[in-house]
PDB file of all heavy atoms in Angstrom:
ATOM      1  N   TRP T 302     121.343  78.394 140.964  1.00 96.00           N
ATOM      2  CA  TRP T 302     121.419  78.755 139.551  1.00 96.00           C
ATOM      3  C   TRP T 302     122.783  78.375 138.981  1.00 96.00           C
ATOM      4  O   TRP T 302     122.883  77.754 137.918  1.00 96.00           O
ATOM      5  CB  TRP T 302     121.181  80.251 139.356  1.00 96.00           C
ATOM      6  CG  TRP T 302     121.164  80.628 137.884  1.00 96.00           C
ATOM      7  CD1 TRP T 302     120.115  80.566 137.038  1.00 96.00           C
ATOM      8  CD2 TRP T 302     122.283  81.108 137.115  1.00 96.00           C
ATOM      9  NE1 TRP T 302     120.480  80.980 135.755  1.00 96.00           N
ATOM     10  CE2 TRP T 302     121.815  81.312 135.782  1.00 96.00           C
ATOM     11  CE3 TRP T 302     123.619  81.366 137.409  1.00 96.00           C
ATOM     12  CZ2 TRP T 302     122.635  81.772 134.766  1.00 96.00           C
ATOM     13  CZ3 TRP T 302     124.421  81.843 136.386  1.00 96.00           C
ATOM     14  CH2 TRP T 302     123.931  82.030 135.079  1.00 96.00           C
ATOM     15  N   ALA T 303     123.845  78.734 139.661  1.00 96.00           N
ATOM     16  CA  ALA T 303     125.196  78.486 139.135  1.00 96.00           C
ATOM     17  C   ALA T 303     125.538  77.017 139.066  1.00 96.00           C
ATOM     18  O   ALA T 303     126.488  76.622 138.365  1.00 96.00           O
ATOM     19  CB  ALA T 303     126.235  79.220 140.000  1.00 96.00           C
ATOM     20  N   ASP T 305     123.076  74.660 138.325  1.00 95.00           N
ATOM     21  CA  ASP T 305     122.087  74.001 137.482  1.00 95.00           C
ATOM     22  C   ASP T 305     122.787  73.253 136.339  1.00 95.00           C
ATOM     23  O   ASP T 305     123.770  73.738 135.771  1.00 95.00           O
ATOM     24  CB  ASP T 305     121.126  75.053 136.938  1.00 95.00           C
ATOM     25  CG  ASP T 305     120.098  74.494 135.970  1.00 95.00           C
ATOM     26  OD1 ASP T 305     119.056  74.004 136.447  1.00 95.00           O
ATOM     27  OD2 ASP T 305     120.350  74.530 134.744  1.00 95.00           O
ATOM     28  N   ASP T 306     122.277  72.086 135.991  1.00 94.00           N
ATOM     29  CA  ASP T 306     122.920  71.255 134.977  1.00 94.00           C
ATOM     30  C   ASP T 306     123.101  72.000 133.644  1.00 94.00           C
ATOM     31  O   ASP T 306     124.160  71.920 133.007  1.00 94.00           O
ATOM     32  CB  ASP T 306     122.127  69.969 134.755  1.00 94.00           C
ATOM     33  CG  ASP T 306     122.229  69.031 135.924  1.00 94.00           C
ATOM     34  OD1 ASP T 306     123.104  69.216 136.769  1.00 94.00           O
ATOM     35  OD2 ASP T 306     121.348  68.112 136.001  1.00 94.00           O
ATOM     36  N   VAL T 307     122.039  72.664 133.191  1.00 94.00           N
ATOM     37  CA  VAL T 307     122.115  73.367 131.921  1.00 94.00           C
ATOM     38  C   VAL T 307     123.129  74.515 132.011  1.00 94.00           C
ATOM     39  O   VAL T 307     123.901  74.761 131.060  1.00 94.00           O
ATOM     40  CB  VAL T 307     120.735  73.900 131.494  1.00 94.00           C
ATOM     41  CG1 VAL T 307     120.835  74.696 130.193  1.00 94.00           C
ATOM     42  CG2 VAL T 307     119.737  72.754 131.354  1.00 94.00           C
ATOM     43  N   VAL T 308     123.135  75.209 133.120  1.00 96.00           N
ATOM     44  CA  VAL T 308     124.045  76.336 133.300  1.00 96.00           C
ATOM     45  C   VAL T 308     125.479  75.860 133.314  1.00 96.00           C
ATOM     46  O   VAL T 308     126.368  76.447 132.649  1.00 96.00           O
ATOM     47  CB  VAL T 308     123.716  77.105 134.601  1.00 96.00           C
ATOM     48  CG1 VAL T 308     124.789  78.152 134.885  1.00 96.00           C
ATOM     49  CG2 VAL T 308     122.348  77.744 134.496  1.00 96.00           C
ATOM     50  N   THR T 309     125.772  74.779 134.044  1.00 96.00           N
ATOM     51  CA  THR T 309     127.157  74.295 134.093  1.00 96.00           C
ATOM     52  C   THR T 309     127.631  73.784 132.745  1.00 96.00           C
ATOM     53  O   THR T 309     128.799  73.936 132.379  1.00 96.00           O
ATOM     54  CB  THR T 309     127.310  73.197 135.167  1.00 96.00           C
ATOM     55  OG1 THR T 309     126.359  72.130 134.870  1.00 96.00           O
ATOM     56  CG2 THR T 309     127.017  73.745 136.532  1.00 96.00           C
ATOM     57  N   THR T 310     126.721  73.161 131.976  1.00 95.00           N
ATOM     58  CA  THR T 310     127.054  72.702 130.633  1.00 95.00           C
ATOM     59  C   THR T 310     127.395  73.890 129.749  1.00 95.00           C
ATOM     60  O   THR T 310     128.382  73.866 128.990  1.00 95.00           O
ATOM     61  CB  THR T 310     125.905  71.889 130.031  1.00 95.00           C
ATOM     62  OG1 THR T 310     125.640  70.756 130.854  1.00 95.00           O
ATOM     63  CG2 THR T 310     126.263  71.433 128.631  1.00 95.00           C
ATOM     64  N   ALA T 311     126.588  74.926 129.828  1.00 95.00           N
ATOM     65  CA  ALA T 311     126.832  76.124 129.032  1.00 95.00           C
ATOM     66  C   ALA T 311     128.173  76.748 129.451  1.00 95.00           C
ATOM     67  O   ALA T 311     128.949  77.219 128.606  1.00 95.00           O
ATOM     68  CB  ALA T 311     125.703  77.122 129.198  1.00 95.00           C
ATOM     69  N   ALA T 312     128.442  76.769 130.744  1.00 95.00           N
ATOM     70  CA  ALA T 312     129.684  77.382 131.223  1.00 95.00           C
ATOM     71  C   ALA T 312     130.913  76.623 130.733  1.00 95.00           C
ATOM     72  O   ALA T 312     131.951  77.213 130.417  1.00 95.00           O
ATOM     73  CB  ALA T 312     129.669  77.414 132.763  1.00 95.00           C
ATOM     74  N   SER T 313     130.784  75.290 130.651  1.00 94.00           N
ATOM     75  CA  SER T 313     131.946  74.482 130.243  1.00 94.00           C
ATOM     76  C   SER T 313     132.358  74.754 128.802  1.00 94.00           C
ATOM     77  O   SER T 313     133.514  74.526 128.437  1.00 94.00           O
ATOM     78  CB  SER T 313     131.621  73.002 130.416  1.00 94.00           C
ATOM     79  OG  SER T 313     130.593  72.587 129.547  1.00 94.00           O
ATOM     80  N   GLY T 314     131.468  75.240 127.997  1.00 91.00           N
ATOM     81  CA  GLY T 314     131.802  75.486 126.599  1.00 91.00           C
ATOM     82  C   GLY T 314     131.944  76.944 126.249  1.00 91.00           C
ATOM     83  O   GLY T 314     131.978  77.299 125.060  1.00 91.00           O
ATOM     84  N   HIS T 315     131.997  77.817 127.252  1.00 95.00           N
ATOM     85  CA  HIS T 315     132.064  79.262 126.950  1.00 95.00           C
ATOM     86  C   HIS T 315     133.358  79.870 127.511  1.00 95.00           C
ATOM     87  O   HIS T 315     133.779  79.505 128.624  1.00 95.00           O
ATOM     88  CB  HIS T 315     130.857  79.963 127.588  1.00 95.00           C
ATOM     89  CG  HIS T 315     130.624  81.338 127.063  1.00 95.00           C
ATOM     90  ND1 HIS T 315     131.362  82.439 127.499  1.00 95.00           N
ATOM     91  CD2 HIS T 315     129.759  81.817 126.116  1.00 95.00           C
ATOM     92  CE1 HIS T 315     130.951  83.505 126.837  1.00 95.00           C
ATOM     93  NE2 HIS T 315     129.971  83.156 126.009  1.00 95.00           N
ATOM     94  N   PRO T 316     133.990  80.762 126.780  1.00 94.00           N
ATOM     95  CA  PRO T 316     135.280  81.362 127.249  1.00 94.00           C
ATOM     96  C   PRO T 316     135.164  82.042 128.616  1.00 94.00           C
ATOM     97  O   PRO T 316     136.142  82.065 129.359  1.00 94.00           O
ATOM     98  CB  PRO T 316     135.598  82.381 126.152  1.00 94.00           C
ATOM     99  CG  PRO T 316     134.907  81.861 124.935  1.00 94.00           C
ATOM    100  CD  PRO T 316     133.642  81.217 125.422  1.00 94.00           C
ATOM    101  N   GLU T 317     134.016  82.591 128.901  1.00 94.00           N
ATOM    102  CA  GLU T 317     133.822  83.262 130.207  1.00 94.00           C
ATOM    103  C   GLU T 317     133.110  82.373 131.207  1.00 94.00           C
ATOM    104  O   GLU T 317     132.674  82.844 132.265  1.00 94.00           O
ATOM    105  CB  GLU T 317     133.043  84.581 130.043  1.00 94.00           C
ATOM    106  CG  GLU T 317     133.875  85.739 129.570  1.00 94.00           C
ATOM    107  CD  GLU T 317     133.125  87.070 129.695  1.00 94.00           C
ATOM    108  OE1 GLU T 317     132.001  87.152 129.210  1.00 94.00           O
ATOM    109  OE2 GLU T 317     133.693  88.016 130.286  1.00 94.00           O
ATOM    110  N   GLY T 318     132.994  81.088 130.868  1.00 95.00           N
ATOM    111  CA  GLY T 318     132.280  80.194 131.755  1.00 95.00           C
ATOM    112  C   GLY T 318     132.898  80.067 133.133  1.00 95.00           C
ATOM    113  O   GLY T 318     132.210  79.718 134.109  1.00 95.00           O
ATOM    114  N   TRP T 319     134.188  80.362 133.251  1.00 96.00           N
ATOM    115  CA  TRP T 319     134.870  80.277 134.547  1.00 96.00           C
ATOM    116  C   TRP T 319     134.231  81.192 135.598  1.00 96.00           C
ATOM    117  O   TRP T 319     134.282  80.908 136.817  1.00 96.00           O
ATOM    118  CB  TRP T 319     136.353  80.602 134.370  1.00 96.00           C
ATOM    119  CG  TRP T 319     136.642  82.017 133.912  1.00 96.00           C
ATOM    120  CD1 TRP T 319     136.726  82.460 132.655  1.00 96.00           C
ATOM    121  CD2 TRP T 319     136.858  83.149 134.777  1.00 96.00           C
ATOM    122  NE1 TRP T 319     136.975  83.810 132.606  1.00 96.00           N
ATOM    123  CE2 TRP T 319     137.066  84.258 133.910  1.00 96.00           C
ATOM    124  CE3 TRP T 319     136.900  83.336 136.150  1.00 96.00           C
ATOM    125  CZ2 TRP T 319     137.333  85.532 134.390  1.00 96.00           C
ATOM    126  CZ3 TRP T 319     137.159  84.619 136.639  1.00 96.00           C
ATOM    127  CH2 TRP T 319     137.365  85.697 135.766  1.00 96.00           C
ATOM    128  N   VAL T 320     133.620  82.308 135.119  1.00 96.00           N
ATOM    129  CA  VAL T 320     132.976  83.229 136.074  1.00 96.00           C
ATOM    130  C   VAL T 320     131.826  82.518 136.797  1.00 96.00           C
ATOM    131  O   VAL T 320     131.651  82.665 138.017  1.00 96.00           O
ATOM    132  CB  VAL T 320     132.447  84.482 135.341  1.00 96.00           C
ATOM    133  CG1 VAL T 320     131.734  85.412 136.311  1.00 96.00           C
ATOM    134  CG2 VAL T 320     133.583  85.207 134.628  1.00 96.00           C
ATOM    135  N   ILE T 321     131.031  81.739 136.036  1.00 96.00           N
ATOM    136  CA  ILE T 321     129.925  81.003 136.648  1.00 96.00           C
ATOM    137  C   ILE T 321     130.467  79.947 137.601  1.00 96.00           C
ATOM    138  O   ILE T 321     129.913  79.732 138.707  1.00 96.00           O
ATOM    139  CB  ILE T 321     129.058  80.356 135.528  1.00 96.00           C
ATOM    140  CG1 ILE T 321     128.381  81.438 134.679  1.00 96.00           C
ATOM    141  CG2 ILE T 321     128.016  79.441 136.151  1.00 96.00           C
ATOM    142  CD1 ILE T 321     127.632  80.910 133.495  1.00 96.00           C
ATOM    143  N   ASN T 322     131.560  79.298 137.225  1.00 96.00           N
ATOM    144  CA  ASN T 322     132.147  78.282 138.091  1.00 96.00           C
ATOM    145  C   ASN T 322     132.619  78.881 139.403  1.00 96.00           C
ATOM    146  O   ASN T 322     132.510  78.259 140.472  1.00 96.00           O
ATOM    147  CB  ASN T 322     133.323  77.609 137.382  1.00 96.00           C
ATOM    148  CG  ASN T 322     132.874  76.818 136.155  1.00 96.00           C
ATOM    149  OD1 ASN T 322     131.702  76.373 136.083  1.00 96.00           O
ATOM    150  ND2 ASN T 322     133.772  76.634 135.200  1.00 96.00           N
ATOM    151  N   ARG T 323     133.149  80.105 139.363  1.00 96.00           N
ATOM    152  CA  ARG T 323     133.584  80.752 140.586  1.00 96.00           C
ATOM    153  C   ARG T 323     132.412  81.098 141.516  1.00 96.00           C
ATOM    154  O   ARG T 323     132.542  81.000 142.739  1.00 96.00           O
ATOM    155  CB  ARG T 323     134.330  82.058 140.228  1.00 96.00           C
ATOM    156  CG  ARG T 323     135.680  81.849 139.595  1.00 96.00           C
ATOM    157  CD  ARG T 323     136.680  81.177 140.588  1.00 96.00           C
ATOM    158  NE  ARG T 323     138.017  81.047 140.048  1.00 96.00           N
ATOM    159  CZ  ARG T 323     138.968  81.940 140.204  1.00 96.00           C
ATOM    160  NH1 ARG T 323     138.725  83.070 140.852  1.00 96.00           N
ATOM    161  NH2 ARG T 323     140.157  81.733 139.708  1.00 96.00           N
ATOM    162  N   ALA T 374     128.876  84.993 129.272  1.00 96.00           N
ATOM    163  CA  ALA T 374     128.593  83.644 129.770  1.00 96.00           C
ATOM    164  C   ALA T 374     127.260  83.567 130.510  1.00 96.00           C
ATOM    165  O   ALA T 374     126.545  82.563 130.396  1.00 96.00           O
ATOM    166  CB  ALA T 374     129.713  83.195 130.718  1.00 96.00           C
ATOM    167  N   PHE T 375     126.895  84.628 131.215  1.00 97.00           N
ATOM    168  CA  PHE T 375     125.631  84.658 131.908  1.00 97.00           C
ATOM    169  C   PHE T 375     124.474  84.648 130.880  1.00 97.00           C
ATOM    170  O   PHE T 375     123.457  83.989 131.044  1.00 97.00           O
ATOM    171  CB  PHE T 375     125.519  85.904 132.798  1.00 97.00           C
ATOM    172  CG  PHE T 375     126.240  85.761 134.082  1.00 97.00           C
ATOM    173  CD1 PHE T 375     127.417  84.996 134.196  1.00 97.00           C
ATOM    174  CD2 PHE T 375     125.801  86.406 135.221  1.00 97.00           C
ATOM    175  CE1 PHE T 375     128.091  84.864 135.401  1.00 97.00           C
ATOM    176  CE2 PHE T 375     126.480  86.297 136.434  1.00 97.00           C
ATOM    177  CZ  PHE T 375     127.621  85.506 136.524  1.00 97.00           C
ATOM    178  N   GLU T 377     124.556  83.511 127.772  1.00 95.00           N
ATOM    179  CA  GLU T 377     124.468  82.218 127.086  1.00 95.00           C
ATOM    180  C   GLU T 377     123.869  81.159 128.010  1.00 95.00           C
ATOM    181  O   GLU T 377     123.035  80.329 127.539  1.00 95.00           O
ATOM    182  CB  GLU T 377     125.856  81.786 126.644  1.00 95.00           C
ATOM    183  CG  GLU T 377     125.874  80.462 125.839  1.00 95.00           C
ATOM    184  CD  GLU T 377     125.024  80.514 124.580  1.00 95.00           C
ATOM    185  OE1 GLU T 377     124.830  81.607 124.014  1.00 95.00           O
ATOM    186  OE2 GLU T 377     124.536  79.440 124.181  1.00 95.00           O
ATOM    187  N   ALA T 378     124.204  81.161 129.265  1.00 96.00           N
ATOM    188  CA  ALA T 378     123.615  80.189 130.188  1.00 96.00           C
ATOM    189  C   ALA T 378     122.111  80.442 130.318  1.00 96.00           C
ATOM    190  O   ALA T 378     121.299  79.495 130.375  1.00 96.00           O
ATOM    191  CB  ALA T 378     124.272  80.298 131.557  1.00 96.00           C
ATOM    192  N   GLN T 381     120.488  79.059 127.164  1.00 92.00           N
ATOM    193  CA  GLN T 381     120.413  77.607 127.151  1.00 92.00           C
ATOM    194  C   GLN T 381     119.358  77.091 128.112  1.00 92.00           C
ATOM    195  O   GLN T 381     118.656  76.094 127.825  1.00 92.00           O
ATOM    196  CB  GLN T 381     121.784  77.009 127.479  1.00 92.00           C
ATOM    197  CG  GLN T 381     122.844  77.267 126.423  1.00 92.00           C
ATOM    198  CD  GLN T 381     122.451  76.668 125.076  1.00 92.00           C
ATOM    199  OE1 GLN T 381     121.762  75.643 124.987  1.00 92.00           O
ATOM    200  NE2 GLN T 381     122.877  77.338 124.001  1.00 92.00           N
TER     201      GLN T 381
END
Side-chain angles (χ1 to χ4, degrees):
W302 184 84
D305 177 85
D306 290 344
V307 177
V308 173
T309 56
T310 300
S313 66
H315 196 280
E317 279 192 309
W319 64 271
V320 178
I321 295 175
N322 295 335
R323 289 295 184 91
F375 281 32
E377 182 59 27
Q381 293 300 328

